[in-house]
Amino acid sequence: MAARVNSTAIRRVNRVRLFHALREHPNSSQTDLQRLTGLDRGTTSLVVAQLLEEGLLTRGEPTYPGRVGRPETALNIAPSAGIFVGARLEPSKVRIISTNLAGELLDRLDLPGSTDIYQSITLFREGLERITRSSGSNPAVRGIGVGVPGLMDRDGCLVLAPNLGWHRVPIRSLLQEGLEAPVYVDNDANAAAMAERLFGACKSCANFAYLSCHSGLGAGLFMEGRLFRGVHGFSGEIGHVTAVPNGRACGCGKWGCVETYVSEGGILRTLSERGRWFGNLADVAEAARQEDLIVLEVLNEVGQYLGMALSSLVNILNPEMVVLGGTLANVFEFLEGAMHKTMDVHVMPPLREVLRVILSPLGSEVVPMGGIALAMDGFISAPHLDTSLRPQPS
Ligand SMILES: [Zn+2]
């Protein structure tokens, strides 16, 4: 029994590896895929045959490897084999995108969000119908992935979003209701980390943290090649590390959490306490560019708080990279100096030397693309798909 489970798991890993190799290197031949995946010839041929049988690959024009021998057929992920839908649910906006099976963007749709989570779900369902219709003539939706700000448990229940007042919402089952395609839901930082791994800055990085800063601060931890979720799925709540003992009240019920100073709301609050009122961080960045000294001083302090929180994370987890995303990106250039200086002091030198801190290259698309990554991962590694792996008749 154990051997059978193992071989099923290995076949699944091989299938995932080959699919992603072809996604990243379109027009590859079987020889190319063998080289890219490290799989042997027989296994490569077997996985390709199954994916062809399922209609997930197409054969292109023959290519010539450059020396005497038989031409090889170029392979691609079939563009018409279906779509994935990814989304981010947040109070200010519901953003939905669709991609083909290779993860290439087909369409995007922004709808005004709602502070009522049930209303957000209704908006999402309307948007899903619209984007499915506009993504081609009746494409099969192969998977739907959604990133949500808040604590998501392993059963797809949104346990708590402290800044939004969302509490105990069985969000996956509500989103799944009446839909045939499987729905995957995760915390927005986890979804974003998956996007960085599959489509962004961390394609070849197995140990990194994605830091999401919007209304709160959270981290998606990608450790040793996979998402690290913790016992209940609540890992990465770096926003609730204490920055100031007995400091500001936090939505989580504690005091002085770092996100009460480093999130968008926290930064705007500090500025207002010093006589500067702004509606968002893009306007704050503009004032910083105009060299408003109060604004620059506040952003310097934010950089120190962020540097302290990241120092703890880096000392504990030893990541190769930290990728920052969310609205904090607007003002990052004005706080990164203080952040780096703080980390120089508080991170142990051998861990500091290998660390890179960068802004997400995926920008505001990162969480919806994370939804695509969750859907793609679920689809290509789905257990029902690899039960018939066997040699095809030639
Ligand atoms: Zn807190």
Side-chain angles (χ1 to χ4, degrees):
M1 186 63 190
R4 183 171 168 73
V5 171
N6 275 341
S7 68
T8 301
I10 290 165
R11 287 195 304 239
R12 198 176 300 160
V13 168
N14 292 343
R15 177 189 168 89
V16 170
R17 195 183 293 176
L18 190 137
F19 182 88
H20 288 305
L22 192 54
R23 183 177 61 75
E24 288 182 17
H25 301 89
N27 292 313
S28 291
S29 67
Q30 285 204 29
T31 307
D32 297 330
L33 289 171
Q34 210 179 308
R35 178 176 46 80
L36 290 164
T37 58
L39 298 175
D40 64 36
R41 191 172 167 180
T43 306
T44 305
S45 164
L46 203 64
V47 179
V48 165
Q50 197 206 7
L51 292 170
L52 280 165
E53 189 188 59
E54 290 169 25
L56 301 182
L57 302 189
T58 55
R59 293 181 199 271
E61 294 298 311
T63 58
Y64 293 84
R67 53 179 193 274
V68 180
R70 288 195 309 166
E72 292 203 72
T73 306
L75 295 163
N76 278 297
I77 294 171
S80 58
I83 64 168
F84 295 123
V85 176
R88 173 181 162 83
L89 297 191
E90 58 177 315
S92 60
K93 193 191 291 176
V94 174
R95 169 165 283 193
I96 308 178
I97 62 172
S98 61
T99 70
N100 62 19
L101 285 201
E104 293 161 343
L105 188 70
L106 296 175
D107 205 355
R108 72 160 65 78
L109 179 66
D110 281 344
L111 299 169
S114 169
T115 50
D116 178 344
I117 180 70
Y118 296 96
Q119 180 63 21
S120 284
I121 291 170
T122 305
L123 286 165
F124 166 78
R125 297 176 80 88
E126 287 169 16
L128 176 66
E129 207 179 307
R130 277 170 60 187
I131 208 160
T132 307
R133 260 183 307 180
S134 69
S135 297
S137 52
N138 198 25
V141 180
R142 301 287 194 158
I144 298 162
V146 182
V148 193
L151 295 180
M152 289 290 308
D153 73 13
R154 288 171 179 268
D155 298 322
C157 178
L158 175 62
V159 173
L160 179 67
N163 299 307
L164 308 175
W166 297 350
H167 181 64
R168 285 262 157 227
V169 184
I171 192 160
R172 185 165 64 205
S173 55
L174 289 171
L175 289 168
Q176 184 69 69
E177 221 171 272
L179 297 177
E180 275 182 31
V183 176
Y184 305 89
V185 187
D186 211 328
N187 166 271
D188 57 355
N190 282 350
M194 284 289 288
E196 294 297 344
R197 173 66 172 176
L198 292 194
F199 311 115
C202 304
K203 287 179 190 169
S204 56
C205 178
N207 290 281
F208 68 91
Y210 176 90
L211 197 71
S212 167
C213 179
H214 290 274
S215 55
L217 190 66
L221 307 174
F222 208 89
M223 296 285 115
E224 303 199 330
R226 62 198 315 172
L227 265 182
F228 174 77
R229 296 176 189 276
V231 63
H232 296 115
F234 304 155
S235 68
E237 289 299 323
I238 188 173
H240 302 281
V241 168
T242 304
V244 179
N246 303 314
R248 289 177 178 168
C250 180
C252 74
K254 301 196 298 127
W255 301 83
C257 295
V258 67
E259 76 172 32
T260 62
Y261 301 89
V262 174
S263 63
E264 177 155 23
I267 296 170
L268 297 180
R269 177 175 165 186
T270 309
L271 284 163
S272 70
E273 287 170 356
R274 306 212 191 150
R276 295 288 189 276
W277 286 271
F278 297 95
N280 56 54
L281 290 183
D283 292 345
V284 174
E286 196 45 48
R289 267 180 220 110
Q290 305 296 323
E291 299 185 353
D292 182 318
L293 292 180
I294 301 276
V295 170
L296 289 171
E297 178 187 87
V298 168
L299 292 177
N300 190 63
E301 289 169 21
V302 171
Q304 289 172 11
Y305 284 130
L306 183 62
M308 281 301 284
L310 282 181
S311 295
S312 299
L313 182 136
V314 172
N315 281 332
I316 293 168
L317 296 174
N318 185 204
E320 185 182 335
M321 219 186 307
V322 172
V323 185
L324 284 115
T327 50
L328 193 70
N330 284 296
V331 291
F332 184 65
E333 62 184 291
F334 303 105
L335 56 81
E336 81 175 314
M339 178 197 78
H340 280 299
K341 266 189 199 162
T342 307
M343 292 175 75
D344 288 343
V345 174
H346 294 283
V347 178
M348 290 177 71
L351 289 81
R352 180 77 178 102
E353 282 157 21
V354 298
L355 177 75
R356 281 194 297 145
V357 183
I358 61 162
L359 279 182
S360 167
L362 298 173
S364 60
E365 301 279 81
V366 66
V367 177
M369 279 309 288
I372 298 291
L374 293 170
M376 183 183 282
D377 189 56
F379 171 67
I380 202 62
S381 60
H384 71 278
L385 289 172
D386 65 355
T387 51
S388 62
L389 262 180
R390 56 182 181 273
Q392 300 300 302
S394 55

